[in-house]
């Protein structure tokens, strides 16, 4: 795990932890604000940041009165100022990617919640790593695209990455106090998404609205579509590879439609430890934000297994859902291939939302992009950004 060993022993903070939320208006950001609202003696908002939703950001600013608020889209700064209009006079309002990077490096916050969606979340995460921050990472695309870079930067830093993704949080929780050498396997559970049992003909006709309706979780549009293609689980496999330093042959996926068992660690003695809860991201968010302090109260409804009744588990049909196989191939190729895998998915999801490609077209586009761009490498952050611009352009031109 990318948490230095001494951190497990760190004594609890006596002060409130100040949280810098990147992506505050999204599904994860809003859940994090609920956790903070319910735990004012442990957590407080230091800063808020969003892409373009000025109305929602202005409401959050007037409730939480942060020191800073950033709107990613610079053309929206004027509107944001008008909407805040004196409701939080001490909040400094900023805009643009540079401001996000500078805010991520600010000395006065305790933990970053990285909840911007997509590769565009990477610069602020890297900025926080350079400043030795604690980072509660929801933005899995960053770690998938830049895993090797992040790992080498962490080696020279006191920064700590704490998983927010529910599967990785589950594993992080069950691995507390265990010896990594006794680990046999990590099993990521997958709900299977809305089309687990759909026929190929039905998949051809899937609309963006259908793909965005997840049976168990309420999430942002991009991750909902990723769950329907199983690309979410594929990204999570790569995420687990980096977070837990775990080879891909020790990472498995198990379909579990009820989304109650959030993942399972298997040890050399045959024991499996799992973490269970209702499907609610406030659980993993609160665990990461307050780690290594105690668990917080008033977070989720307690699970009543007698109401759930049964828990089902199935093997994934890899012929119908090729995403996991492609993730393993991307890891095997190494270099920039996981970044290509991620960016191809981001482009494909956008094209699908615009109804320019079909639902099965998403996986075809990703597979074709991997074939075309499997030999790239990068040495620096800048090289990775320019390579992604180039690959993205090539994919869009061909579709
Ligand atoms: P979302 O679409 O609901 O929210 C995305 C947030 O990012 C919004 O606040 C948006 O304003 C902000 N944003 C977008 N572009 C930006 C930019 N250029 N600059 C600044 N902010 C920008 O997405 P979400 O569902 O909250 O997911 C966020 C991340 O968390 C994703 O990486 C996702 O994979 C991950 N995640 C989400 C869930 C979930 O339950 N929603 C679970 C696990 C992991
Ligand atoms: Mg997840």
């Amino acid at each position: 795990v990318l948490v230095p060993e001494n951190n497990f022993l760190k004594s609890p903070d006596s002060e409130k932890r100040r949280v810098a939320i990147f992506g505050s208006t999204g599904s994860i950001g809003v859940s994090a604000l609920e956790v903070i609202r319910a735990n004012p003696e442990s957590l407080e908002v230091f800063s808020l940041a969003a892409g373009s939703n000025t109305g929602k950001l202005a409401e959050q600013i007037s409730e939480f009165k942060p020191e800073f608020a950033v709107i990613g889209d610079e053309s929206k700064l004027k509107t944001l100022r008008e909407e805040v209009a004196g409701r939080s006079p001490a909040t400094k309002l900023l805009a643009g990617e540079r401001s996000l990077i500078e805010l991520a490096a600010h000395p006065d916050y305790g933990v970053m919640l990285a909840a911007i969606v997509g590769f565009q979340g990477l610069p602020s995460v890297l900025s926080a790593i350079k400043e030795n921050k604690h980072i509660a990472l929801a933005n899995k695309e960053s770690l998938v695209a830049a895993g090797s870079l992040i790992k080498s930067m962490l080696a020279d830093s006191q920064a700590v990455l704490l998983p927010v993704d529910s599967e990785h949080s589950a594993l992080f929780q069950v691995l507390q106090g265990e010896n990594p050498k006794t680990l046999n396997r990590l099993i990521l559970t997958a709900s299977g998404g809305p089309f687990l049992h759909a026929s190929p003909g039905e998949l051809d006709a899937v609309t963006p609205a259908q793909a965005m309706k997840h049976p168990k979780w309420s999430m942002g549009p991009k991750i909902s579509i990723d769950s329907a293609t199983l690309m979410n689980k594929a990204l999570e496999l790569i995420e687990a590879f980096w977070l837990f330093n775990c080879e891909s042959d020790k990472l498995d996926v198990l379909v579990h439609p009820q989304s109650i068992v959030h993942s399972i660690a298997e040890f050399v003695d045959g024991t499996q430890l799992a973490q269970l809860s209702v499907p609610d991201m406030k659980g993993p968010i609160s665990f990461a934000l307050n780690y290594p302090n105690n668990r917080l109260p008033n977070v989720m409804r307690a699970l009543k297994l007698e109401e759930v009744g049964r828990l089902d588990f199935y093997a994934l049909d890899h012929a119908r859902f090729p995403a996991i196989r492609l993730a393993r191939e991307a890891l095997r190729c190494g270099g920039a291939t996981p970044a290509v895998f991620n960016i191809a998915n981001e482009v494909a999801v956008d094209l699908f939302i615009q109804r320019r490609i079909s639902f099965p077209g998403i996986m075809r586009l990703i597979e074709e992009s991997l074939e075309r761009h499997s030999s790239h490498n990068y040495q620096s952050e800048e090289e990775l950004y320019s390579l992604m611009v180039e690959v993205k352009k090539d994919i869009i031109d061909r579709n």
Side-chain angles (χ1 to χ4, degrees):
V1 184
L2 298 177
V3 175
E5 222 150 284
N6 61 6
N7 201 54
F8 285 94
L9 307 171
K10 214 177 103 178
S11 60
D13 296 354
S14 50
E15 297 170 11
K16 280 192 207 183
R17 194 166 283 191
R18 314 186 81 194
V19 188
I21 305 184
F22 286 70
S24 64
T25 57
S27 169
I28 291 288
V30 167
S31 294
L33 289 172
E34 284 177 41
V35 169
I36 296 171
R37 198 184 280 122
N39 289 279
E41 58 302 311
S42 307
L43 301 171
E44 70 183 0
V45 175
F46 171 74
S47 63
L48 298 169
S52 58
N53 188 343
T54 54
K56 199 164 185 175
L57 183 59
E59 269 171 42
Q60 294 177 340
I61 293 169
S62 59
E63 180 183 350
F64 291 96
K65 310 221 166 9
E67 287 198 19
F68 295 93
V70 184
I71 189 84
D73 180 345
E74 294 186 50
S75 70
K76 297 264 167 80
L77 183 58
K78 190 166 165 279
T79 315
L80 180 65
R81 285 193 197 293
E82 286 160 9
E83 278 167 335
V84 175
R87 285 191 286 170
S88 179
T91 302
K92 294 175 199 69
L93 301 179
L94 307 167
E97 186 170 73
R98 263 294 9 119
S99 298
L100 289 169
I101 293 170
E102 283 168 20
L103 182 62
H106 200 287
D108 292 350
Y109 74 88
V111 57
M112 163 191 271
L113 177 65
I116 292 177
V117 60
F119 184 68
Q120 62 195 344
L122 181 63
S124 47
V125 169
L126 296 184
S127 172
I129 293 175
K130 289 173 201 155
E131 296 303 320
N132 304 311
K133 293 293 187 179
H134 275 214
I135 303 158
L137 185 79
N139 176 239
K140 65 191 88 184
E141 295 92 345
S142 290
L143 189 55
V144 170
S148 59
L149 176 67
I150 287 176
K151 190 161 183 165
S152 68
M153 284 171 64
L154 284 171
D156 304 322
S157 158
Q158 296 296 307
V160 169
L161 279 191
L162 298 156
V164 170
D165 218 343
S166 58
E167 296 75 6
H168 307 73
S169 175
L171 294 168
F172 184 50
Q173 292 179 51
V174 300
L175 291 174
Q176 300 285 313
E178 296 288 344
N179 180 348
K181 291 196 189 86
T182 64
L183 201 59
N184 220 14
R185 217 161 45 113
L186 296 176
I187 304 165
L188 299 169
T189 51
S191 71
F195 310 126
L196 190 54
H197 306 291
S199 68
E202 287 166 336
L203 290 181
D204 275 328
V206 163
T207 65
Q210 289 169 324
M212 281 180 212
K213 247 181 92 71
H214 195 274
K216 292 290 168 199
W217 294 93
S218 155
M219 309 181 287
K222 192 242 171 198
I223 184 175
S224 298
I225 293 173
D226 288 348
S227 300
T229 55
L230 268 298
M231 270 304 283
N232 182 49
K233 212 51 53 183
L235 299 174
E236 289 180 355
L237 186 125
I238 299 176
E239 186 185 11
F241 173 89
W242 294 113
L243 277 174
F244 302 108
N245 209 356
C246 186
E247 288 309 316
S248 120
D249 60 359
K250 290 187 158 191
L251 291 168
D252 277 339
V253 171
L254 181 65
V255 176
H256 167 46
Q258 290 89 355
S259 298
I260 296 292
V261 173
H262 298 301
S263 278
I264 305 166
E266 181 184 281
F267 299 90
V268 287
D269 63 356
T271 294
Q272 297 190 345
L273 292 183
Q275 183 260 342
L276 286 72
S277 74
V278 295
D280 182 341
M281 289 306 294
K282 294 200 290 299
I285 291 167
S286 65
F287 193 81
L289 290 185
N290 213 38
Y291 185 86
N293 297 346
N294 52 298
R295 290 177 186 271
L296 292 168
N298 311 318
V299 169
M300 292 182 285
R301 184 164 61 76
L303 176 64
K304 289 210 170 73
L305 278 174
E306 65 276 30
E307 284 172 9
V308 178
R310 59 184 271 183
L311 300 175
D312 296 309
F313 300 93
Y314 316 102
L316 180 66
D317 180 351
H318 291 279
R320 291 173 60 236
F321 294 103
I324 303 298
R325 172 179 59 80
L326 295 177
R328 292 188 198 282
E329 270 175 41
L331 275 176
R332 201 168 33 244
C333 289
T337 311
V340 169
F341 183 59
N342 175 68
I343 208 75
N345 179 52
E346 292 189 19
V347 174
V349 169
D350 277 345
L351 293 175
F352 171 65
I353 290 173
Q354 297 166 36
R355 308 200 71 155
R356 285 169 56 193
I357 62 174
S358 70
F359 182 77
I362 297 174
M363 291 313 304
R364 284 198 293 270
L365 183 151
I366 295 168
E367 189 151 18
E368 186 205 79
S369 305
L370 280 178
E371 279 160 18
R372 280 177 62 77
H373 298 284
S374 64
S375 56
H376 298 294
N377 216 328
Y378 67 95
Q379 304 302 329
S380 68
E381 195 180 334
E382 292 67 32
E383 270 183 53
L384 177 61
Y385 295 138
S386 52
L387 178 63
M388 287 305 103
V389 170
E390 190 187 304
V391 170
K392 197 167 167 175
K393 184 175 180 307
D394 176 72
I395 298 173
I396 291 171
D397 287 349
R398 293 174 58 83
N399 287 277

